[in-house]
C-alpha cells in the first residue's frame, strides 16, 4: 500500500488493523518528530486496538549509527517486543533508514511501515527498501534491503518543513524525472512555482509520480545489480560532497550540486545535450535549490572522496549518467567509467 | 552448491573461481579454527587467484555479539572491502551465524559461503540461511535470513572434533529425521555404531541426507511463516535449557534433552506413540548423547525461560511436535499451544 495525499497518516491505523491485526506496534521516531506527530499517531493506533509503544532517539544524522540501533534493540527487548510486532518509521530519512534496518533484523525481520515526514524521505528513503546506518568513515555501509509493508506520504505534515528541506526533496524528484521520466520533468518545469509555494495538490501529484516511477525501477531490480543504478544519477558527486563536508552539507543540497555536475559530465561522456543539462540546473533553481558552492568546501577533497564511492569497481570512478532527459543508457549496467580528471573539471565548474 | 564429503573444502577455490571470479574473498574464522584450517584455505584461495584476507575473532559463543560484529565491520572498512567481495564462514555455528550476519548487512548484502567445521554446523547453522547474534538476555534476537551461495561440509575436518561435539551434531540429525524423515531415522538406528566410530562414509550419508531434508523444508518456507517451524522440534525446551544454564549447556546437548522432553509432551498433545518417544531417546544415546540432567540446572528456571521463547504468541508457550516418527502435523502452522503445567511435567520427567 502506498498512500499519498493530505491526511494519509490518518488512514494508517485502519489499514494496519485490516492487514496486520494481531501485531503489536512500535512507532520509532526522533524526539522532534515525536513531539510534532508521534503522540497523535500513537493515540490513533491505540484507538484502533493496537498495543502501541513509542521509541525515540535524538534527531539528526549522527543518530544513524550501530550504537543507536543497539540501544533501540535493548529497548525492544526490555518491552518484550516479539516477532509478532510491526514497526512504524515516523520521520525523515534518518528515521526511515534506521527503523527500517532495526525492523529488518529484529527476530530476523518484522514488517516496517514507512511514514515519512519530509519531502525527501517521501520520494527517497521510504521507497525502495534500502535501510542502513553509517560507519564513521562512510555512509550506509551496513544495512539491508527490507521492503516496507506500506508507505504513508502525508502532504499536510510538510507545511512545517523548512524551505531548505523542501528544496532537498525537490532535488530528488528532479533526479528521478531526469533519469527516468521525461514527462514528469516537463510537468515539474510547468508547475515549479506552485510546488515552491507548497500547493498541496501539486505536491501530491509530484510525490505520487516520483514514487511510482522509483517503485517501477526498484521492483525490476530490488538488489541493485543493474537497472536500479540509474537512480544514482548525481549521487557519486553528491555523496562525495557530503563526505568531504563532514556531512555538514545536507543530502538534498548535495544531490542538487551532484545533478548539475553529473549532467555536465554526461554531455562529454554520453552525448547528453548541453541544453538539457541547463534545463536541469534551471528547474532545480526554480524549485528553490541553491547551486552555490559551499564556501568552506574544498573541491579537491570532494574529488578524493568520490574515489571511495560504493559504485566504484577496482578503483575506477563510475557514475550513472543519462543519455537524454528521462532516459538512461539501455545496457544492463547504466554506469560509466569516468576519468578522474573529468570529474575534477566538472566539480570545478560548479565553483563559477 | 552443497558439497559433502572428505576433502570437500579443497573444491571451494575452484568452485568460487568459476562462479564469483571477480570477488575479493574474506575468510572469517575464530582463532582456533583459523590455526587448524584457516591458513590452508587462504593459501589455496590465493593460489586460485583471489585477493584473500583472513579475519579472526575469539572462539566461543561469547563472540556472537553486536560488538564483535561491529569490530569485524571496522576491519572490513579498514581493508577497503567493497560490495564486490564474498565472505567465507569457516568454523562452527557461532562463525556461521556471525559471519553470515556480517555478510548480509555489509554494503546491504554480499555473498557468504558456509564452510562448517563441526558436525552440528554442517547440518544446522550452515543450512537454511539463518544468521544472527545474541543479546545479553536472549539468543539470536538480532539477525537476518541470508542464504549461503554455497556450503562445503568437509567430513575430514571432523576427525579432530571432541566426542561431545559430535554428539551435539547427531542430536540435530536425529531431530531432522524424527520431524520429517522416517527412513533417515531408521537408517540412523541401523548405523549408529559406525557413525559413533566416525566412519567417514556413514557420516557423509547422514550429513547429506540431513542437509537435503532440511533444505527441502526450508526452500518451501524460507522465512519461517509456517512449515519451517517443524525444524523447531525439541527447541523450545532446548533454548530454555541453554538460557537457564547461562549458556553453559551446549546447543547440541540441550537439543538432545529437548527432543526427549518434547517427544514425551507429544505423546499427550498429538498422540505421538510412546514407543516412538522411547526410540528417539535410545537413538540419541546410541549416538553418544548424554541424557542425564545437568546437576547445576534448576528445572523451574527452565520452565520460566521457555515462556520467553520466540515461537510464543501472546504469552502462550508453543512447541513444534510430531504426530508420528518423521511426520509433523499437516496444518500450515505445525506448532501446538502447551499448558505450562505440562511443560513443567515433561521437564521434571527428565530428572529421573
Amino acid at each position: 500500500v502506498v498512500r499519498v495525499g493530505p491526511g494519509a497518516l490518518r488512514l494508517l491505523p485502519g489499514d494496519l488493523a485490516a492487514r496486520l491485526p494481531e501485531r503489536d506496534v512500535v512507532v520509532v521516531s526522533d524526539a522532534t518528530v515525536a513531539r510534532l506527530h508521534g503522540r497523535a499517531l500513537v493515540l490513533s493506533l491505540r484507538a484502533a486496538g493496537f498495543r502501541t509503544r513509542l521509541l525515540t532517539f535524538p534527531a539528526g544524522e549522527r543518530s544513524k549509527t550501530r550504537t543507536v540501533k543497539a540501544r533501540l534493540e535493548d529497548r525492544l527487548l526490555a518491552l518484550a517486543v516479539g516477532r509478532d510486532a510491526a514497526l512504524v518509521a515516523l520521520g525523515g530519512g534518518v528515521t526511515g533508514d534506521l527503523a527500517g534496518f532495526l525492523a529488518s533484523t529484529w527476530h530476523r525481520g518484522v514488517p516496517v511501515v514507512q511514514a515519512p515526514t519530509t519531502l525527501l524521505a517521501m520520494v527517497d528513503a521510504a521507497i525502495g527498501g534500502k535501510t542502513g546506518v553509517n560507519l564513521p568513515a562512510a555512509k550506509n555501509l551496513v544495512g539491508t534491503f527490507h521492503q516496507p509493508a506500506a508507505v504513508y506520504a502525508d502532504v499536510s505534515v510538510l507545511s512545517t518543513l523548512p524551505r531548505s528541506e523542501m528544496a532537498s526533496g525537490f532535488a530528488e524528484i528532479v533526479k528521478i524525472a531526469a533519469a527516468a521520466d521525461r514527462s514528469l520533468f516537463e510537468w515539474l518545469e510547468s508547475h515549479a512555482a506552485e510546488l515552491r509555494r507548497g500547493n498541496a495538490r501539486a505536491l501530491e501529484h509530484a510525490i505520487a509520480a516520483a514514487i511510482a516511477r522509483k517503485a517501477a525501477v526498484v521492483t525490476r531490480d530490488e538488489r541493485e545489480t543493474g537497472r536500479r543504478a540509474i537512480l544514482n544519477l548525481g549521487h557519486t558527486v553528491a555523496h562525495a560532497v557530503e563526505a568531504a563536508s563532514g556531512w555538514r552539507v545536507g543530502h538534498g543540497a548535495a544531490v542538487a550540486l551532484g545533478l548539475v555536475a553529473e549532467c555536465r559530465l554526461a554531455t562529454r561522456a554520453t552525448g547528453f545535450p548541453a541544453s538539457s543539462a541547463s534545463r536541469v540546473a534551471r528547474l532545480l533553481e526554480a524549485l528553490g535549490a541553491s547551486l552555490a558552492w559551499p564556501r568552506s568546501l574544498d573541491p579537491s577533497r570532494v574529488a578524493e572522496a568520490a574515489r571511495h564511492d560504493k559504485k566504484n569497481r577496482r578503483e575506477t570512478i563510475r557514475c550513472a549518467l543519462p543519455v537524454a532527459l528521462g532516459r538512461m543508457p539501455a545496457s544492463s549496467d547504466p554506469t560509466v567509467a569516468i576519468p578522474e580528471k573529468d570529474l575534477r573539471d566538472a566539480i570545478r565548474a560548479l565553483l563559477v
Side-chain angles (χ1 to χ4, degrees), chain A:
Chain A
V1 193
V2 178
R3 293 198 186 267
V4 184
L9 262 180
R10 272 180 267 137
L11 305 173
L12 194 158
D15 286 355
L16 212 58
R19 294 186 58 215
L20 302 169
E22 285 180 55
R23 300 269 164 181
D24 288 346
V25 178
V26 179
V27 177
V28 181
S29 203
D30 72 42
T32 310
V33 172
R35 215 175 308 121
L36 285 168
H37 311 292
R39 313 209 188 284
L41 181 60
V42 167
L43 290 177
S44 68
L45 280 162
R46 286 187 183 147
F50 290 100
R51 193 156 67 169
T52 310
R53 306 286 194 151
L54 178 64
L55 291 192
T56 64
F57 60 88
E61 183 86 20
R62 306 187 93 200
S63 283
K64 217 176 115 175
T65 62
R66 297 172 294 192
T67 308
V68 172
K69 177 173 183 270
R71 212 174 292 148
L72 292 169
E73 285 161 355
D74 292 343
R75 298 276 308 280
L76 289 175
L77 182 65
L79 294 170
V81 173
R83 69 199 304 179
D84 56 348
L87 267 53
V88 177
L90 177 71
V94 168
T95 303
D97 286 1
L98 179 63
F101 190 23
L102 182 71
S104 74
T105 65
W106 185 246
H107 285 272
R108 298 201 184 92
V110 299
V112 67
V113 172
Q114 293 285 353
T117 60
T118 67
L119 182 57
L120 180 59
M122 286 177 188
V123 297
D124 188 27
I127 309 295
K130 284 189 180 182
T131 81
V133 295
N134 302 330
L135 260 50
K139 283 186 73 172
N140 297 319
L141 215 54
V142 176
T144 55
F145 290 94
H146 190 56
Q147 293 300 334
V151 180
Y152 294 85
D154 189 338
V155 174
S156 55
V157 306
L158 299 179
S159 58
T160 56
L161 211 63
R163 175 165 294 217
S164 67
E165 291 221 33
M166 288 300 284
S168 297
F170 288 134
E172 205 64 36
I173 296 174
V174 170
K175 175 204 77 176
I176 293 169
D181 194 334
R182 187 186 178 104
S183 75
L184 174 58
F185 191 91
E186 287 168 352
W187 187 93
L188 294 168
E189 287 183 318
S190 58
H191 294 79
E194 287 155 77
L195 288 166
R196 199 171 171 179
R197 274 200 311 273
N199 176 284
R201 192 173 292 234
L203 283 171
E204 182 177 336
H205 177 87
I207 294 167
I211 286 178
R213 179 59 59 183
K214 181 170 178 187
V217 172
V218 167
T219 304
R220 272 180 294 159
D221 179 24
E222 186 172 306
R223 294 208 154 239
E224 196 168 331
T225 48
R227 294 301 297 164
R228 183 173 180 156
I230 70 177
L231 298 173
N232 288 321
L233 171 58
H235 278 59
T236 301
V237 171
H239 287 155
V241 164
E242 290 177 276
S245 78
W247 284 276
R248 274 185 297 274
V249 177
H251 183 66
V255 168
L257 289 170
L259 280 173
V260 173
E262 294 191 18
C263 284
R264 277 193 197 137
L265 268 177
T267 61
R268 183 178 293 193
T270 69
F272 188 68
S275 60
S276 298
S278 305
R279 280 172 72 184
V280 170
R282 274 202 307 274
L283 176 56
L284 287 164
E285 286 186 315
L287 290 167
S290 161
L291 299 180
W293 187 260
R295 270 187 223 168
S296 58
L297 194 56
D298 178 351
S300 62
R301 284 191 59 193
V302 174
E304 170 62 25
R307 282 209 272 137
H308 297 294
D309 192 77
K310 272 208 297 272
K311 287 178 289 304
N312 297 347
R313 291 195 292 262
R314 307 262 168 195
E315 312 282 315
T316 311
I317 298 167
R318 298 190 76 88
C319 293
L321 299 180
V323 293
L325 261 186
R327 197 152 58 80
M328 300 290 277
S331 58
S332 67
D333 177 359
T335 64
V336 182
I338 297 293
E340 196 169 331
K341 189 193 159 301
D342 289 4
L343 185 77
R344 285 182 187 280
D345 288 349
I347 289 169
R348 232 170 259 128
L350 292 172
L351 297 173
V352 287

